[in-house]
């Protein structure tokens, strides 16, 4: 994708992120399109072609029985980061749908969590596409890492 052909999702992010509370407004817009993600109250902090980061605040309602951020909440954050990245990156003639997720839980999530989804440039081709996803705690320790598999196809 060339920078002269920015898609609607990326254009909206670029516009709103210049405003005070713009990232919050953009995050709310994404959660309105996919309401389930609102359950983790994400904040998309960075969005560019093939890269997205969102923040999950450690809140009591997202904790598990040992007081750490529940891994399913982190999975939601990773899927949100992947989805926003995909919407901001995919060429207009293609579409995507998730097919699976393979994650390793590598450390306790005792703080806010930064969820990152990223792809190398030139990855958008029909077929399976593996998106690297990583969740970091406030000390940049990886707490969850893995891949989300997408199916990429041409629009009919």
């Amino acid at each position: 994708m060339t920078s002269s052909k920015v898609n609607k999702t990326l254009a909206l992010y670029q516009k709103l992120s210049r405003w005070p509370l713009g990232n919050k407004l953009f995050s709310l817009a994404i959660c309105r399109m996919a309401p389930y993600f609102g359950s983790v109250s994400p904040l998309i902090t960075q969005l560019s072609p093939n890269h997205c980061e969102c923040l999950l605040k450690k809140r009591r309602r997202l904790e598990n029985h040992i007081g750490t951020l529940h891994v399913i909440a982190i999975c939601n954050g990773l899927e949100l980061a992947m989805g926003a990245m995909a919407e901001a990156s995919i060429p207009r003639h293609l579409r995507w749908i998730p097919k699976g997720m393979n994650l390793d839980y590598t450390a306790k999530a005792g703080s806010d969590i930064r969820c990152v989804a990223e792809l190398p440039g030139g990855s958008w081709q029909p077929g399976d596409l593996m998106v690297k996803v990583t969740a970091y705690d406030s000390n940049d320790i990886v707490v969850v890492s893995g891949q989300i598999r997408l199916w990429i196809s041409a629009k009919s």
Side-chain angles (χ1 to χ4, degrees):
M1 174 190 313
T2 65
S3 59
S4 64
K5 292 189 177 185
V6 175
N7 71 26
K8 291 178 186 178
T9 302
L10 190 54
L12 179 62
Y13 175 78
Q14 290 171 342
K15 178 181 180 179
L16 292 179
S17 65
R18 291 186 293 242
W19 299 355
L21 300 176
N23 286 356
K24 182 67 176 169
L25 290 171
F26 180 78
S27 300
L28 289 170
I30 291 291
C31 290
R32 185 158 169 82
M33 290 187 298
Y36 181 71
F37 291 124
S39 67
V40 295
S41 302
L43 178 64
I44 295 175
T45 57
Q46 292 183 28
L47 183 62
S48 59
N50 300 322
H51 183 88
C52 182
E53 296 189 18
C54 78
L55 180 68
L56 301 181
K57 290 284 201 180
K58 185 175 183 285
R59 295 178 172 92
R60 176 69 184 122
R61 67 187 175 104
L62 299 180
E63 290 179 359
N64 58 22
H65 65 289
I66 60 172
T68 61
L69 206 63
H70 198 288
V71 73
I72 297 304
I74 297 170
C75 291
N76 286 334
L78 291 170
E79 189 175 8
L80 171 69
M82 177 281 304
M85 180 276 303
E87 285 298 311
S89 307
I90 194 165
R92 292 179 183 193
H93 70 284
L94 297 175
R95 62 182 170 201
W96 64 274
I97 189 166
K99 283 181 69 178
M101 183 183 275
N102 182 20
L103 301 173
D104 293 315
Y105 311 153
T106 56
K108 289 181 182 177
S111 68
D112 295 347
I113 299 296
R114 180 173 52 98
C115 298
V116 179
E118 54 195 342
L119 279 172
S123 297
W124 294 100
Q125 304 294 326
D128 280 341
L129 176 61
M130 301 302 279
V131 178
K132 178 183 174 187
V133 292
T134 312
Y136 301 89
D137 71 7
S138 60
N139 293 314
D140 278 337
I141 295 171
V142 174
V143 297
V144 178
S145 65
Q147 297 178 323
I148 298 176
R149 184 172 34 142
L150 303 181
W151 176 249
I152 309 300
S153 61
K155 290 181 179 175
S156 347

